[in-house]
């Protein structure tokens, strides 16, 4: 079977719980790698350089763009965010499924360039829940929360261009759903053309051998 990794993009409103799903998934399964993005946003309390993000100045970020180091990038609520290209390529070639936790604009630009990428959108069970989760996280001001809610209102309009939708209600179920979607993709005929061709050749050889006997 195909042993090349799958590029999986997970998007969701701020407060959708996507970060927690990924954390649990990485603990449970070892065939996934999470891409760490570059951002011009200031670190939140507890965030570490190279773990949560590579924190960059606007100038450094622009240099990364001009050197072609980013697979995609986008502006989100006043800051830039982008995916470093090298890590993604390296992990995919090692057979890992690479997860990008990115917003919708970047996700859709990746899908245009890499139609094989799988786009998953995660939503909390209700709109009130989004607001409550953001508020309880306590890391953003009321003003930033309002901007993020507005952004969520826009993002819902592009969900129909995604491949899969997940409602994140029970965390353990969401983790299994995510893994089921990706495992299912690994069995897609379109991802296994080389394997199928190899089996066709084996059949031809076998049948040719039978004729000779
Ligand atoms: P936060 O500031 O809450 O960490 O992230 C804000 C938004 O930026 C989230 O929707 C997150 O998924 C998205 N994001 C994080 N990294 C990237 C990236 O590399 N590219 C893009 N396009 N979006 C990103």
């Amino acid at each position: 079977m195909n042993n090349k990794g799958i590029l999986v993009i997970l998007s969701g409103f701020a407060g959708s719980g996507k970060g927690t799903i990924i954390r649990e998934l990485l603990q449970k399964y070892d065939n996934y790698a999470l891409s760490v993005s570059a951002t011009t946003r200031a670190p939140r309390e507890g965030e570490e350089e190279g773990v949560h993000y590579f924190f960059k100045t606007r100038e450094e970020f622009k240099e990364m763009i001009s050197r072609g180091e980013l697979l995609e990038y986008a502006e989100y609520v006043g800051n830039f965010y982008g995916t470093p290209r090298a890590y993604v390529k390296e992990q995919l070639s090692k057979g890992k499924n690479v997860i990008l936790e990115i917003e919708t604009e970047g996700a859709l630009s990746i899908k245009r360039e890499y139609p094989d990428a799988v786009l998953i959108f995660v939503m909390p069970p209700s709109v009130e829940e989004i607001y409550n989760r953001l508020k309880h996280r306590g890391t953003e001001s009321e003003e930033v929360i309002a901007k993020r809610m507005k952004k969520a209102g826009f993002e819902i309009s592009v969900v129909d261009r995604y491949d899969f939708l997940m409602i994140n209600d029970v965390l353990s179920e969401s983790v299994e759903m995510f893994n089921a979607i990706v495992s299912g993709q690994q069995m897609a005929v379109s991802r296994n053309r080389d394997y199928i061709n190899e089996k066709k050749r084996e059949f031809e050889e076998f049948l040719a051998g039978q004729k000779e006997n």
Side-chain angles (χ1 to χ4, degrees), residues 65-76:
I65 297 173
S66 61
R67 287 197 298 261
E69 288 173 15
L70 298 177
L71 198 59
E72 61 73 41
Y73 67 93
E75 197 175 353
Y76 182 94

Side-chain angles (χ1 to χ4, degrees), residues 10-213:
L10 186 66
S11 304
F13 309 133
S16 60
K18 55 190 189 300
T20 320
I21 296 174
I22 294 173
R23 238 193 349 263
E24 293 279 313
L25 183 90
L26 292 173
Q27 266 178 17
K28 191 156 180 202
Y29 300 101
D30 61 7
N31 56 334
Y32 290 95
L34 175 64
S35 158
V36 177
S37 297
T39 184
T40 60
R41 167 167 80 58
R44 289 189 192 121
E45 214 176 299
E47 283 186 337
E48 282 175 51
E49 166 71 15
V51 177
H52 298 91
Y53 282 107
F54 296 106
F55 295 100
K56 303 284 176 195
T57 62
R58 281 190 168 245
E59 287 65 37
E60 286 169 339
F61 197 93
K62 279 185 197 153
E63 278 165 23
M64 290 182 86
I65 297 173
S66 61
R67 287 197 298 261
E69 288 173 15
L70 298 177
L71 198 59
E72 61 73 41
Y73 67 93
E75 197 175 353
Y76 182 94
V77 190
N79 288 301
F80 285 102
Y81 296 81
T83 306
R85 186 187 294 276
Y87 178 81
V88 173
K89 264 183 82 176
E90 174 199 303
Q91 295 297 315
L92 284 176
S93 66
K94 280 188 187 166
K96 297 266 185 187
N97 300 315
V98 178
I99 307 172
L100 310 185
E101 194 225 298
I102 65 176
E103 52 67 67
T104 51
E105 192 187 321
L108 295 174
S109 83
I110 294 251
K111 187 74 175 175
R112 278 191 294 273
E113 210 177 319
Y114 303 92
D116 275 359
V118 178
L119 267 55
I120 306 176
F121 198 94
V122 56
M123 281 195 207
S126 73
V127 173
E128 288 76 42
E129 185 72 16
I130 305 173
Y131 181 77
N132 289 339
R133 286 188 197 183
L134 271 180
K135 192 116 179 106
H136 284 136
R137 192 159 78 179
T139 50
E140 271 101 356
S141 65
E142 199 57 57
E143 190 197 342
V144 172
I145 292 177
K147 281 190 186 154
R148 284 178 175 245
M149 286 304 290
K150 198 166 159 202
K151 187 81 179 174
F154 164 76
E155 286 185 314
I156 187 96
S157 66
V158 297
V159 175
D160 50 11
R161 292 165 66 189
Y162 274 62
D163 301 309
F164 294 94
L165 174 68
M166 278 177 32
I167 309 299
N168 182 25
D169 195 357
V170 179
L171 176 64
S172 57
E173 287 176 11
S174 299
V175 171
E176 293 316 313
M177 256 190 290
F178 185 102
N179 188 51
I181 291 170
V182 179
S183 306
Q185 286 292 312
Q186 260 147 354
M187 288 173 252
V189 166
S190 60
R191 292 183 198 273
N192 289 284
R193 299 280 178 215
D194 290 347
Y195 180 83
I196 294 167
N197 286 334
E198 190 189 307
K199 293 296 142 193
K200 280 183 185 163
R201 272 196 303 278
E202 278 179 31
F203 259 110
E204 278 164 16
E205 276 169 27
F206 180 85
L207 294 174
Q210 262 193 337
K211 242 188 243 166
E212 281 163 20
N213 293 332

